[in-house]
Each structure stands twice: as C-alpha cells, then as structure tokens.
Amino acid sequence: MSAAAPTVDAFLAALAHQRRASPHTLSAYRRDLERCTRLLPLLGAGTLVELTPAQIRRLVSHLARDGLSGRSIARLLAALRAYYRLAIDHGALASDPAAGITAPKSPRRLPATLDVDHLARLLDFAAEDPLARRDRAMFEVLYSSGLRLAELVALDCGDVDLADASARVTGKGRKTRIVPVGARACAALADWLVLRRTLTAEPAALFVNRRGGRLSARAVQQRLRHWADRQGIDRRVYPHLLRHSCAGHLLESSGDLRAVQELLGHASIATTQVYTQVDFQYLARVYDAAHPRARRRSG
C-alpha cells in the first residue's frame, strides 16, 4: 500500500464537494462506515481498506442475521464502494474488495392506500374560506393525477390547462410529462384560481400561502393532516398516500400497468408492478370471502 487510507471524515468531505451529496446521504454513509469500523475486530481486520471480499461477505451475513434489512445492507455496501473508490484514487488500495458483493433481498413493502370511501370522506369537506378551497384543489390534484409532493408544490399556473383537463409536471431528473386532471380536480382548481387572482401572490406558483408565496411541501403535509383529523380519518394520512391510492385504484379498475407507469412517471415498469400486488391482495380477500371452494368448512 503506497499511501495512507483516507479517513471517514476526508471521504465525506470529498463526497460533499465532488458529488454534491445531500446531508441525508452524508449522514447515512457516516453511520454505515462507523458500523463497519465497529465490526472490524469481529472480522479480523484493522482498517476498512484491509477488508477482503471474504470478510465483507461475512460482514453482510452478520448484519443480515442481526436483522438489518436488505435495503439497509445495500446502502452500507454502496457507502463502502464509494469509500473504496476514493482510496483507490489516493493510491491506498489497488482494487475494490466490495465489488460484485450484493445484499440479500428483502420482501418489498407494499404501498399503503386509502379505500374509496375514506377518500370520499377526506376530499368532500366544506371549503368555506380561500385556504380551504386551495386545500381541496391540492388534494384533488394529488389524488386525480398521482403526483409526488415535490411535483405538486412546483406546479405553476401555466402548467395547468383546464380546457384540456391536463397538467405539465416536472418529475425526477427534471423530466416532464403530461398527466390528465379529473373533472372534480378541474372544478376545484377553477374555483381556487378565481380566488388566487384576488391575492397578492407570487406570479407563477399555482398554490400559494396566505402571504402569497409558493406553498412549501411541509405546509401541504400539515394541511392534509389537519383535514384528515377534522374529517375523522382514523389513520395517518400523508401526500404520498394519495399517490399510492390513485395508482392502486386505477389498476384495480383498468389493469393497465403501462398507463399507470406513464401517469406516475416511473422510469421502470418494475416500480409500478408493486401496485399489482396490492390489487392481488384485494382480489385474494374477496375470493376467500366469496368463493364457495375457498371458504373453509367448520368442524
């Protein structure tokens, strides 16, 4: 080894500077590398750069037996590989000992959804003041078009075409897509836009706060929780739940996976396929309750 291995602090500083890594990523990578460092004596190594592929496989097995999820182990391996890339660049390591090592697969968590009755109760509230009418328009658009929260708050007035019942949405990777907007969402938007013109508002933003500035994602979350509590929804309600519900209900009715993929802006159809499992679970419950050959005989 011709050079000293970089410290974890030096690695994280380089990651922040060169790759503009987010504070969340830096914090997660620090926890992962510190976890690895604590386990070095168990693996028989002194430093991270001394780990062999066999020792890293033992590390993965140990973490899995200890109950760490496959997703968390995959992130830990990503942190190790990023660290090893810097060590190689510094001449402290000849090759990546974590290359080709994968995390065990975890069962994929199914997205939670709200049933139609709960959604009707949530969305059908008396909008008696401007902010309530704004909120109803936001929630209708979230559910109607399956938007992500960031996509909703980024909408500008010019992105919505009520005559065409559509909206132009900027999603992940700055990719744009055109999504349909349902009749109830269009009506709620038309109502809100009339009121919005009476406000001293930021000229572009579709949804604004009482001071006229673009509404924040945090504010949308708070308003949705407020209305869920007021409408007697006895579970946690959050913006992404409306997106999940939109996808689940569309698939339940149409079975058109490709159309739902386009609507949600998923790069891969594999991401959308998780909603088919939700639909199957619903089908299985109905089948078990209704099919004569599915019901177990008592006694």
Side-chain angles (χ1 to χ4, degrees):
M1 200 176 296
S2 57
T7 64
V8 170
D9 284 340
F11 159 69
L12 294 172
L15 200 64
H17 176 69
Q18 296 168 9
R19 293 177 50 189
R20 301 288 192 271
S22 71
H24 176 76
T25 297
L26 295 174
S27 175
Y29 276 20
R30 178 181 293 279
R31 287 196 305 272
D32 290 335
L33 293 178
E34 287 176 350
R35 184 195 292 264
C36 292
T37 302
R38 288 195 300 271
L39 292 172
L40 287 174
L42 176 69
L43 301 169
T47 65
L48 293 175
V49 293
E50 292 175 19
L51 286 172
T52 65
Q55 288 171 323
I56 293 174
R57 289 190 184 91
R58 281 175 52 204
L59 170 67
V60 167
S61 297
H62 172 82
L63 294 173
R65 285 196 305 272
D66 217 31
L68 197 64
S69 72
R71 180 175 293 184
S72 295
I73 294 173
R75 189 194 63 208
L76 179 143
L77 287 170
L80 272 178
R81 282 191 284 267
Y83 173 79
Y84 287 145
R85 279 195 297 271
L86 184 66
I88 291 168
D89 290 344
H90 283 199
L93 199 60
S95 60
D96 178 0
I101 297 174
T102 58
K105 290 190 180 297
S106 293
R108 192 163 189 180
R109 287 186 299 176
L110 299 180
T113 60
L114 276 175
D115 63 38
V116 175
D117 290 339
H118 277 91
L119 271 161
R121 193 194 314 168
L122 173 66
L123 299 176
D124 292 341
F125 56 85
E128 298 168 350
D129 62 74
L131 293 185
R133 288 155 86 172
R134 177 205 64 193
D135 293 347
R136 184 167 61 188
M138 290 190 309
F139 306 156
E140 288 282 5
V141 170
L142 274 173
Y143 174 57
S144 165
S145 304
L147 300 191
R148 300 177 178 96
L149 176 56
E151 295 169 345
L152 178 84
V153 297
L155 283 175
D156 290 334
C157 293
D159 292 329
V160 175
D161 185 344
L162 293 182
D164 190 49
S166 66
R168 182 178 63 249
V169 176
T170 302
K172 290 184 177 180
R174 305 299 299 170
K175 292 180 180 177
T176 60
R177 66 187 190 278
I178 304 297
V179 299
V181 180
R184 293 201 178 193
C186 281
L189 279 171
D191 184 46
W192 160 241
L193 285 170
V194 170
L195 282 170
R196 189 192 173 286
R197 294 189 196 105
T198 68
L199 302 174
T200 304
E202 196 268 327
L206 177 60
F207 296 114
V208 295
N209 56 34
R210 64 176 70 245
R211 295 181 301 279
R214 186 182 294 274
L215 199 66
S216 70
R218 178 70 175 158
V220 177
Q221 293 169 329
Q222 290 172 337
R223 294 301 290 174
L224 186 54
R225 278 200 297 270
H226 162 79
W227 284 110
D229 289 343
R230 182 164 168 174
Q231 295 299 98
I233 308 297
D234 56 353
R235 58 174 295 184
R236 190 170 76 91
V237 177
Y238 47 94
H240 223 67
L241 185 63
L242 300 189
R243 174 174 163 89
H244 289 326
S245 301
C246 170
H249 296 164
L250 277 175
L251 271 177
E252 188 178 311
S253 301
S254 70
D256 193 333
L257 198 62
R258 286 286 180 191
V260 175
Q261 179 192 4
E262 289 294 323
L263 177 73
L264 298 182
H266 287 157
S268 167
I269 201 165
T271 308
T272 318
Q273 281 175 326
V274 68
Y275 293 104
T276 64
Q277 298 176 52
V278 177
D279 191 31
F280 178 79
Q281 285 195 344
Y282 170 78
L283 172 62
R285 287 197 300 272
V286 172
Y287 181 90
D288 287 343
H291 196 290
R293 296 286 189 179
R295 293 194 293 269
R296 294 181 181 177
R297 295 177 182 177
S298 58

